[in-house]
Amino acid sequence: GESVGLHLPTLSVQEGDNSIINCAYSNSASDYFIWYKQESGKGPQFIIDIRSNMDKRQGQRVTVLLNKTVKHLSLQIAATQPGDSAVYFCAEKAAGNKLTFGGGTRVLVKP
Amino acid sequence: KAGVTQTPRYLIKTRGQQVTLSCSPISGHRSVSWYQQTPGQGLQFLFEYFSETQRNKGNFPGRFSGRQFSNSRSEMNVSTLELGDSALYLCASSLTAGVWNTEAFFGQGTRLTVV
């Protein structure tokens, strides 16, 4: 598959355990924060978003937490499955549809 | 419904040449954005088009340009190719251009290799 990033931080997690992926952002004026998942050979896929006036949002097996005080965003994946193996990016959205992406974290799920 | 279609999937060009990449957004989507993805720089925003108008532009040299047609299809062009332009070019399709519209749908990308 195509290499997304040769030196990405990697999170190894046992199948069934919970995963926590962290992200620091820079723009206090961002209106939304979004998590994307990118599998090998594919484009990024939307997972979940959170508006800047919220601190927590839950989806199916995923929870996003936003801490504006320290400009920190996290994605929690419950009961991690082999299909969750991918690179995860956080992104900030301000004006229009411009997304500013973080560097990415590679998640490896061990059976 | 059909997803975002990018053509071609793979391309090899020589330094100094120019290249045109194509993106067909999801039917009904009017916003198309382009991103460059490299191992060293990650995902970087190139530009965004909505209703045939460029609304946002990233920090790339003028060799990178784009346009959008009345049917929302978009093309990006890179002239005078350099080795450093080798990358995966991704197109993202969105329904509207409002900031509340957070779900962008990405194509599989065009892998450009400059030799």
Side-chain angles (χ1 to χ4, degrees):
Chain A
E2 294 157 352
S3 173
V4 171
L6 297 178
H7 303 293
L8 289 175
T10 299
L11 174 68
S12 289
V13 60
Q14 202 71 37
E15 182 179 353
D17 287 352
N18 297 335
S19 303
I20 299 177
I21 307 164
N22 296 303
C23 174
Y25 66 89
S26 56
N27 186 1
S28 300
S30 294
D31 294 296
Y32 282 91
F33 300 88
I34 310 162
W35 282 98
Y36 281 88
K37 170 186 180 183
Q38 187 174 25
E39 297 173 282
S40 181
K42 297 183 179 179
Q45 179 185 6
F46 174 93
I47 302 174
I48 189 169
D49 64 7
I50 186 167
R51 193 167 180 174
S52 58
N53 62 355
M54 300 170 66
D55 52 25
K56 180 178 180 179
R57 189 168 187 219
Q58 289 184 292
Q60 188 176 11
R61 281 201 309 119
V62 294
T63 300
V64 57
L65 299 177
L66 175 63
N67 185 331
K68 293 180 286 293
T69 303
V70 294
K71 296 184 182 178
H72 183 267
L73 189 68
S74 68
L75 178 71
Q76 301 176 2
I77 305 174
T80 311
Q81 303 169 359
D84 295 327
S85 291
V87 178
Y88 289 79
F89 295 94
C90 64
E92 305 173 50
K93 188 174 193 287
N97 283 323
K98 176 183 176 180
L99 296 170
T100 301
F101 284 89
T105 298
R106 189 183 307 276
V107 172
L108 293 176
V109 181
K110 298 178 288 185
Chain B
K1 61 183 175 181
V4 180
T5 303
Q6 290 189 245
T7 57
R9 286 293 312 279
Y10 301 93
L11 206 48
I12 299 176
K13 288 287 189 178
T14 304
R15 270 181 301 176
Q17 288 187 311
Q18 67 94 27
V19 66
T20 299
L21 311 181
S22 179
C23 172
S24 292
I26 292 171
S27 178
H29 284 198
R30 296 168 61 194
S31 171
V32 173
S33 299
W34 289 88
Y35 294 83
Q36 181 195 65
Q37 186 172 31
T38 60
Q41 299 298 317
L43 278 154
Q44 292 189 290
F45 173 80
L46 281 157
F47 25 66
E48 176 199 357
Y49 287 88
F50 179 78
S51 294
E52 302 178 65
T53 301
Q54 187 181 87
R55 288 173 50 92
N56 268 309
K57 191 176 190 306
N59 296 324
F60 279 83
R63 299 185 297 107
F64 291 81
S65 63
R67 60 177 175 169
Q68 186 180 34
F69 302 96
S70 58
N71 61 358
S72 294
R73 190 177 72 86
S74 177
E75 290 181 346
M76 67 163 281
N77 184 279
V78 188
S79 62
T80 319
L81 283 165
E82 300 176 0
L83 296 179
D85 297 333
S86 295
L88 181 67
Y89 290 88
L90 291 159
C91 164
S93 163
S94 299
L95 185 62
T96 69
V99 67
W100 60 87
N101 177 47
T102 57
E103 191 162 359
F105 296 84
F106 283 82
Q108 288 188 285
T110 294
R111 169 66 66 184
L112 172 64
T113 302
V114 182
V115 297

